[in-house]
Amino acid sequence: MTPDLLFKSLWDDYIERLCPSAEKVHQLLKEEEDLINDHIALRTFNVAPLGIDTLAKPFLALGYKACGDYLFESKKLVAKHFEHPDPTQPKVFISELKVEECSAELQAIVAKLVEQVDASKLEGQDFLYGGRLWDLDFQDYKELATESEYASWLAAHGYGANHFTVSVNQLNEFTEVQAVNDHLSESGFTINSVGGQVKGSPEVLLEQSSTMADKVKVEFSEGAELVPGGFYEFAKRYPMANGELYTGFVAASADKIFESTNG
């Protein structure tokens, strides 16, 4: 397995199951050079045998290294980002819900999901784009959503890329994040406007924006329902004092990007 093959598998699952509209975004932004994927994001619970370390293992095996830690207090999340020695490979942002800080009701539902997990399925990398490892009632989904959109999204979709990210730095036609937003808005996409359409600034060395998540069909125990799936992000990085582009993330901006899956 190479990083390229892993990201192709993640992409194929993402456009088929989570964000079918991503292909249209590609058509609207593609140039002579292939679009560069700045990073992907994955979600999980901090309950054994799940957790950031489990999701990180396949990437570490491919040479990725942990590079940054992030805290999202209001959402009860922590996250890490990982980078490959080859800077052309996408960064990986993995977050987890601190389940023990949530309500007893949420903890009980998550426990019910996690006890269905076959730990042997977590070997290798296929689970990263394999969807759910549990069955889920729509009523439980709705109860999770009242407390934590993050928890309900993860319960509904399981494992897969929550989003891919176009590197605006490599675009020729659009040099600003807002110009990308305007182009997509004109084509019918809804841009996440929580905290403004463009999150971040040159001063924090990163600007980001995103579409609002596609509505996708998910099978629950009671039948299929349309729920928020994946979204597409756009990022522009600025040079640090040493002239190299900033490679980290800005928690205050990422916090607003999480809102892209709010239905």
Side-chain angles (χ1 to χ4, degrees), residues 112-189:
K112 191 163 56 173
L113 303 180
V114 175
E115 69 186 18
Q116 299 177 55
V117 173
D118 176 354
S120 70
K121 296 271 177 66
L122 302 172
E123 299 298 323
Q125 73 285 320
D126 290 3
F127 79 95
L128 291 172
Y129 42 85
R132 284 206 319 249
L133 297 170
W134 47 74
D135 293 324
L136 176 66
D137 297 335
F138 189 56
Q139 284 305 120
D140 283 347
Y141 168 83
K142 289 194 291 187
E143 183 162 343
L144 289 173
T146 62
E147 180 175 347
S148 168
E149 176 280 327
Y150 182 103
S152 62
W153 189 97
L154 176 56
H157 298 293
Y159 295 113
N162 180 259
H163 63 269
F164 273 66
T165 308
V166 171
S167 169
V168 176
N169 295 77
Q170 56 107 180
L171 298 178
N172 293 315
E173 187 174 349
F174 304 103
T175 58
E176 299 298 333
V177 173
Q178 187 59 57
V180 173
N181 293 346
D182 292 344
H183 183 57
L184 294 174
S185 294
E186 288 164 9
S187 300
F189 283 90

Side-chain angles (χ1 to χ4, degrees), residues 53-93:
D53 290 347
T54 297
L55 273 66
K57 195 179 295 184
F59 296 101
L60 297 175
L62 292 172
Y64 275 80
K65 299 274 190 292
C67 291
D69 293 275
Y70 309 89
L71 174 65
F72 305 91
E73 287 191 40
S74 66
K75 290 183 169 62
K76 301 181 172 66
L77 304 174
V78 293
K80 288 179 180 285
H81 98 264
F82 300 82
E83 297 179 26
H84 194 273
D86 176 356
T88 66
Q89 293 295 343
K91 289 165 277 293
V92 178
F93 186 90

Side-chain angles (χ1 to χ4, degrees), residues 11-48:
W11 171 260
D12 289 345
D13 171 63
Y14 167 73
I15 60 172
E16 179 184 342
R17 186 171 61 90
L18 295 165
C19 191
S21 72
E23 291 218 273
K24 185 180 178 188
V25 173
H26 250 228
Q27 294 304 314
L28 290 168
L29 296 179
K30 75 174 183 179
E31 299 177 343
E32 288 184 18
E33 299 291 321
D34 287 341
L35 294 180
I36 291 176
N37 176 27
D38 181 88
H39 70 272
I40 65 161
L42 301 167
R43 296 179 174 187
T44 193
F45 298 117
N46 71 339
V47 180

Side-chain angles (χ1 to χ4, degrees), residues 72 199-201 204 206 208 250-258:
F72 305 91
K199 292 89 166 94
S201 66
V204 296
L206 177 64
Q208 298 165 269
V250 178
S253 301
D255 187 75
K256 304 296 188 296
I257 294 288
F258 277 121

